[in-house]
Amino acid sequence: MASLMPNFLSRFFRPFTSSTKMGLGPAEGGAQNIPDTAQKCTVAAGCFWGVEHLFRKNFGEQGLYDARVGYIGGDVNNPGYRAVCTGRTGHAEALQMTFDPSVISYSTLLEFFYKMHDPTTKNRQGADTGTQYRSAIFYHSPEQESMAKEVTEKAQTQWWKSGKISTEILEAGQWWDAETYHQLYLHKNPGG
């Protein structure tokens, strides 16, 4: 019986782990052999589990090489989930995708981003509230910054006329992969 206790306790506290493992092996969803022509798209739109799930579902077979959940936009090195959830690190729960721009465009990914969440609710998506759930686009080049502003204007005038978009458009800084158990979370745990 005593040997079962540590396993039971580890399951109970699992959502609050502070693992610093940075990579996923091929069996856990990590992409292999990504060409140099690939680009990154980094967005925040609430809880990263759902964001990852929706992008993989819609673009997994259409030029998406990889999608990883993690943390960006804060001022603490190597933050863990528990720290980010306090709202004191400044990080957003985010998704960083690596994609083939010859198959899918950056603007298509951003248009989907604006259609799959409510960008008019500042620091909130549904019941999830806090700065870690903010809406943001983190660009990786001047061209991406320009496209992000263009698509945001289109979203405001065509899709979100009744509310002001609060999405931040910021230069991508340091990215931190979330803990391994967060990667492909809704794929592994369909009930959430």
Side-chain angles (χ1 to χ4, degrees):
M1 180 74 171
S3 65
L4 295 177
M5 189 57 77
N7 189 26
F8 169 76
L9 290 175
S10 69
R11 287 185 195 165
F12 181 72
F13 289 105
R14 186 175 178 197
F16 302 108
T17 184
S18 59
S19 168
T20 58
K21 184 176 178 185
M22 295 300 282
L24 294 178
E28 295 180 336
Q32 300 294 314
N33 301 320
I34 296 174
D36 292 339
T37 56
Q39 293 183 15
K40 290 189 186 299
C41 176
T42 305
V43 296
C47 176
F48 51 26
W49 295 343
V51 178
E52 177 193 31
H53 183 74
L54 287 171
F55 272 97
R56 283 185 181 278
K57 181 179 176 183
N58 286 276
F59 300 105
E61 301 296 322
Q62 300 175 32
L64 189 65
Y65 292 122
D66 193 23
R68 311 204 28 97
V69 297
Y71 316 111
I72 192 169
D75 53 11
V76 172
N77 286 336
N78 201 19
Y81 181 69
R82 189 175 194 175
V84 171
C85 283
T86 68
R88 293 190 297 253
T89 69
H91 291 88
E93 287 191 16
L95 176 69
Q96 187 165 87
M97 297 168 277
T98 306
F99 67 99
D100 182 345
S102 71
V103 176
I104 186 165
S105 69
Y106 182 68
S107 63
T108 298
L109 293 171
L110 294 184
E111 287 175 5
F112 181 76
F113 162 79
Y114 276 117
K115 292 177 181 179
M116 54 81 60
H117 83 295
D118 183 350
T120 68
T121 55
K122 187 171 176 69
N123 298 328
R124 179 170 58 91
Q125 286 300 306
D128 296 328
T129 60
T131 57
Q132 69 271 28
Y133 299 117
R134 67 188 177 268
S135 176
I137 298 168
F138 298 91
Y139 59 86
H140 295 270
S141 69
E143 294 79 20
Q144 283 192 351
E145 178 184 20
S146 176
M147 183 59 61
K149 290 177 179 177
E150 188 177 308
V151 172
T152 300
E153 179 62 30
K154 177 180 179 180
Q156 183 68 74
T157 59
Q158 293 183 18
W159 306 316
W160 294 100
K161 297 175 188 177
S162 63
K164 173 117 173 75
I165 289 179
S166 64
T167 302
E168 299 174 335
I169 299 174
L170 305 165
E171 184 173 8
Q174 178 66 49
W175 171 264
W176 303 98
D177 274 349
E179 295 81 357
T180 302
Y181 69 91
H182 287 297
Q183 308 299 332
L184 295 165
Y185 188 86
L186 291 178
H187 175 75
K188 298 173 191 171
N189 305 281

